[in-house]
Amino acid sequence: MSDTNVSDTRVLLAIDGDSLAHRAYHGLPKSIQWNAILGFSNFLVRLWDAERPAAVLVGWDTLEEETYRNEALPEYQSGREFEDSIVEQLDLLPDFVRSFGFACAKRAGYEADDFLAAAAAKWDGPVVVATSDRDAFQLASDRVTILQPVKGVSELARIGPAEVRKRYDVGPEQVVDFIALRGDSSDRIPGARGVGPKTAAGILRQYGSLEGALAAGRFVAEADDLRLYRRIAQMDAKAPLPKLAPQRPRWAKAAEAAAELGLGALAGRLELRAKTG
């Protein structure tokens, strides 16, 4: 029996693999072997059931390689340390996801976010981006919706342009300027001195953009730094992607891959899908 029919929707589901794998890793007991793989896989299947996309792309960081962001701002994401277990699972996950028949993007010099931006730019149709990283709010549009985990991975908020404006008081097209001005402590982006989120939003309402504020004589001594912070916060929509085309989920192949890892319960659930279609 075939696994399933290709969805007749035009939706691309683009997933931040590292973001959600880390969430799974910290959300499940570490006594469970391959807890990140298990949690991520369960989340992946639930997303597929909910969205029934025409295709799935999962973007991944390359942890062992620095990006231009690290070279331009050495403190960018500095101080992050990962346990050996999550690093091992992150190495295994791209091939495991491919066993489902889904596409993966991973390339030295790029972050998972960049592949999401590239997918959103290149896909001819609606895009749903699943990530816990609010930097992705810059992608929100009438065609691109952000799915943001709210509680574990069981509750998701759908973020469009209106929700971005409600949360940040700026539009999606201003998010990278907002980050540059406000800074981002999680990524170690300093921002403008003395500027918090409310002030950053007010500046953007007044001047429209970071460049508008700089042209008006604001932040003269920090101009080059702020432009750098903006470039670092901007997702790279030119990141290389694998071919994106309608996919047929390969539940049986995924079940075999799960069984090889000793994830018997997951393998059983995937095998059932392969049999029932």
Side-chain angles (χ1 to χ4, degrees):
M1 181 180 294
S2 63
D3 282 297
T4 186
N5 293 325
V6 174
S7 170
D8 61 358
T9 72
R10 295 173 55 241
V11 173
L12 172 69
L13 174 61
I15 300 174
D16 184 333
D18 286 74
S19 170
L20 299 183
H22 277 281
R23 202 171 186 89
Y25 179 73
H26 293 291
L28 289 177
K30 294 179 183 178
S31 57
I32 300 175
Q33 187 179 28
W34 310 129
N35 63 335
I37 295 176
L38 175 61
F40 182 87
S41 301
N42 288 337
F43 186 61
L44 176 62
V45 171
R46 286 201 300 273
L47 275 177
W48 194 89
D49 284 342
E51 304 299 327
R52 291 286 169 157
V56 176
L57 171 79
V58 184
W60 301 96
D61 294 339
T62 303
L63 298 180
E64 63 273 14
E65 297 285 346
E66 291 190 341
T67 70
Y68 70 88
R69 296 178 174 97
N70 303 102
E71 295 171 357
L73 185 67
E75 59 266 37
Y76 175 70
Q77 294 188 347
S78 62
R80 293 187 177 185
E81 295 184 4
F82 303 136
E83 297 175 2
D84 290 343
S85 177
I86 181 62
V87 173
E88 183 180 12
Q89 294 183 73
L90 287 171
D91 285 341
L92 293 172
L93 267 165
D95 281 341
F96 188 69
V97 168
R98 290 186 186 98
S99 74
F100 284 77
F102 301 146
C104 284
K106 183 175 181 178
R107 182 77 67 87
Y110 297 93
E111 297 181 23
D113 283 351
D114 297 323
F115 301 117
L116 305 184
K122 294 178 182 178
W123 182 257
D124 183 21
V127 180
V128 174
V129 173
T131 179
S132 59
D133 190 344
R134 292 187 180 188
D135 289 359
F137 287 4
Q138 65 190 265
L139 302 179
S141 71
D142 292 341
R143 191 175 57 86
V144 180
T145 300
I146 314 302
L147 282 184
Q148 183 187 40
V150 175
K151 187 176 181 181
V153 293
S154 60
E155 183 181 341
L156 297 169
R158 300 186 82 91
I159 308 296
E163 289 73 23
V164 173
R165 294 187 185 95
K166 183 176 181 180
R167 293 189 182 203
Y168 284 171
D169 205 17
V170 300
E173 71 282 357
Q174 296 172 305
V175 166
V176 289
D177 291 349
F178 178 79
I179 294 171
L181 287 164
R182 177 209 62 183
D184 187 334
S185 59
S186 64
D187 284 340
R188 302 290 181 91
I189 298 174
R193 287 190 296 273
V195 173
K198 290 185 178 179
T199 302
I203 290 167
L204 293 175
R205 286 197 303 274
Q206 181 177 358
Y207 298 106
S209 67
L210 173 61
E211 284 299 327
L214 297 179
R218 298 292 301 269
F219 309 107
V220 174
E222 300 175 83
D224 289 344
D225 287 340
L226 293 175
R227 288 188 176 106
L228 172 61
Y229 303 156
R230 187 190 191 284
R231 185 164 71 91
I232 288 172
Q234 178 77 54
M235 295 179 179
D236 186 356
K238 296 181 180 179
L241 293 175
K243 181 180 179 181
L244 296 179
Q247 301 157 348
R248 187 184 302 275
R250 301 184 307 200
W251 304 123
K253 289 287 187 182
E256 291 175 7
E260 289 176 3
L261 289 174
L263 295 171
L266 175 61
R269 293 194 296 273
L270 294 171
E271 184 62 37
L272 181 61
R273 284 175 173 269
K275 292 178 179 178
T276 58

